[in-house]
Each structure stands twice: as C-alpha cells, then as structure tokens.
Amino acid sequence: MGSEMLDHAVQSLREHGVRMTPQRQAILEYLVTEHSHPTADDIYKALAARFPNMSVATVYNNLRVFKDVGLVQEMNYGDASSRFDFVTSKHYHIICDTCGKVVDFNYPVLDEIEAVAAQLTGFKVDRHRLEVYGTCPTCQADQSHTH
Amino acid sequence: MGSEMLDHAVQSLREHGVRMTPQRQAILEYLVTEHSHPTADDIYKALAARFPNMSVATVYNNLRVFKDVGLVQEMNYGDASSRFDFVTSKHYHIICDTCGKVVDFNYPVLDEIEAVAAQLTGFKVDRHRLEVYGTCPTCQADQSHTH
DNA sequence: TCTTACATAGTAATCTTTATAAATAGTGTA
DNA sequence: TACACTATTTATAAAGATTACTATGTAAGA
C-alpha cells in the first residue's frame, strides 16, 4: 500500500531525471510512511541513526526536489518551521493552536473562489491554500482538566 | 475615515491595558493608512525618518501586541518575511507568485468549512485562513513581452 | 510630582534556510 | 565491467528573520 505510493513516486522522480540516492530514498520513504507533516529538522533527526553523516542541507535539497516534482507540499505557519506533506489526494488541513498537530480532512475543492478571485482582481489564478485552526480533542481535554 | 479606525484601535489597546507611545502610535497609523501589507522591515524603514533611533525589535514587539489584541493579522508565505495586515472587514487575499503583491478581494466568509472540519476532526474550530495564488495583471503583461 | 511597571533601544543570540565548494556516487554508454 | 559525465552529498559559512536580554527611558495613575 505505502510501497505502491513509494514506487509511483520514485518513478515520477525518474521521469524528471532525478537520481535515486539512499538519502533521497529514505526521506521519501519517511514522508510516505509517516503522516506526521514533519519539519525538515524532524526528518533530519529521524534519519540520523541510519545516516549519521547526512547534512541538513540534503534534507532541504530533497524536499525542494520533491516539491518541484509535485510530490510534496510545503506548509508554512506563522513563526515556526515549514512542514512538509506527501501529496496523496486532495485534502485540507486543520491545525491545533495549542500543540501544533496537523490533521487532514476532506472537503470538496473550492474551485469557485478561485474563479471569483480571478474575476475580481484580474489575476491569473494558479492555486489556493486553505487551513482551519482550532484546538484538537486532546488539548481540549487537557484544558478542561487544568481548569 | 482612517482616523476613526485609528481612534477605535487606540481605544481597543487602552482597554487591554496597553500604553500609547509615539512609536506605537506611528506603527499603528502606518498600518491603518497604508494598505500595502507591509513586512516588519517595511514599517521600520518607513518610520526611520521620524524615529531615527527606533529599534527593529520595537516594530516586532508592537506587531505582536497588535496581533494579541486582534487589530492585526500576520500572514506568512513560504520563505519570505511575515506580512501584517490591519484587520478592517472580512476579506481574503490573492498573492502574486512573481512579484509578491498582495491584493484583497471580498468573498462570503466560509463558515461552512469550519463546521465540516469541526465535525470530521473533533477540533474546536477558532478560525481559518484562505489565500489564492497566481499572477497579477502587471506580471502577466511583463511575461508576454519578455516572451 | 512621584512612583511603578511597561516600553524602547541596542545588541547579541537563535533559528531556519540557502549558498558554496570540494568530495562522492548515480546512471547511461562503450 | 569500466568510464565519463554530472547530479548529489557533505560540511561549513552565510544570510535573513525574529527573539532574548538588559539598561535606560517614559506613560499613566495616585
């Protein structure tokens, strides 16, 4: 299941003339396997055991490559580091203000707002970005206890 | 007109126990007057003439204060600096991928997606964030010339 | 006016991300 | 399989944005 997505991703990279290296493979695997919306540093730390000499720059380089090929989506919240999400199907994100957890949820793609924006502003629209913010169930529970 | 919003903002700050200083006043004025979605550095540079000794930290401190009181919204795109927008009425933003220009456009507030997200994930929803990306008319023209 | 806590200035420090250059290692081809 | 070409990695420096810190200054109420 995950392996299928991985194979597809590798093939997609090959078609773009991107070479496969062990580090690249590992970063990709991590993104496919974990659904944790990791930061570059998360990935770096997670793979430190297998690749003690891997550079942080390698993580960033590869994330950029994946992004350029369209395999990965970069998300940037406020002050913190960017988070990276392996693109599977169309979904939006909801983010916990307290603990930072990111959860996917499905919702029909908002094509209409793109059309309206284009009409009102004269922009040629490429894409949009939508995120919902709030408090996750866990943090809600914590808050009522502490209170 | 702008003065009314300014007065209201100052009053709102007073109610939150925030002191008014010349620097704070100036930063607030700038945000109300300009509709340019400035970065912290934009503001710093714009006020350098009037406040030659003002620190960048002061700009950041005040922007945070304004944000905490709800007067200002912080927007963060990819790698660049955060941009700050004085909150007037409900509107969304469209951003040019080429030159970075930010333009407001009006669209009915998407309350529904908040409700759906809450139901699907169990989050207590607070707000959402929506941005459209594309190419502004100016950059579209430039691109067809260069081509 | 006096007092006190908050704000500012100035600077150092932190954090994230990118740039650079030399060393390394994929991948197609002979 | 060996070679050559070039992308990739590593290591480190550097850049850029934002925050932390501390002494000094100042707004605002008594």
Side-chain angles (χ1 to χ4, degrees), chain B residues 14 19-22 40 57 60 64 76 81-82:
Chain B
R14 285 243 158 74
R19 292 181 185 167
M20 284 314 300
T21 67
Y60 278 102
R64 188 188 330 167
N76 195 289
S81 321
S82 286

